[in-house]
Amino acid sequence: MTFRLMADERALNFLNSLDAKDQRVIKAKLKILRDNPYPGSDGDKEKLHTNKKRESYRLDIARTFTVIYNISSDENLVYITHIMPIEKAHRRYGRI
């Protein structure tokens, strides 16, 4: 099953503000979400334990960036809500 990727405008703006190398690295890693967005052995993906109704997941990229996303399996859709530096993501989700 292949999932479609969609991204929030803020996530796209952040991605477009990065240099070309960082954009390439992030885009290459995002491709794994099309084949399998669920946590497992094929990437650094993890389910976040938040209080929201919708389940959120994160993908760490090159120990530099974190992508936060939601999965709609009935629509085969991965919705990217945030792309941010990994330090900011850790502070946001209380891991530091």
Side-chain angles (χ1 to χ4, degrees), residues 5-19 22-23 26-27 30 66-68 78-84:
L5 297 180
M6 293 186 68
D8 185 85
E9 185 176 349
R10 291 173 293 178
L12 286 176
N13 288 340
F14 178 78
L15 180 63
N16 291 331
S17 73
L18 300 173
D19 63 51
D22 287 336
Q23 288 184 33
I26 291 171
K27 289 176 183 178
L30 289 176
T66 296
V67 173
I68 308 296
V78 172
Y79 187 73
I80 299 164
T81 59
H82 298 85
I83 302 173
M84 64 185 79

Side-chain angles (χ1 to χ4, degrees), residues 12 28 31 39 42 58 61-62 65 71 74 80-81 92 96:
L12 286 176
K31 289 180 182 179
D42 63 339
R58 66 116 181 107
I61 300 173
F65 298 102
I71 303 169
D74 57 328
I80 299 164
T81 59
R92 182 176 182 150
I96 291 182

Side-chain angles (χ1 to χ4, degrees), residues 26-44:
I26 291 171
K27 289 176 183 178
K29 287 294 275 188
L30 289 176
K31 289 180 182 179
I32 69 169
L33 296 179
R34 288 192 294 188
D35 296 326
N36 181 12
Y38 296 99
S41 61
D42 63 339
D44 194 8

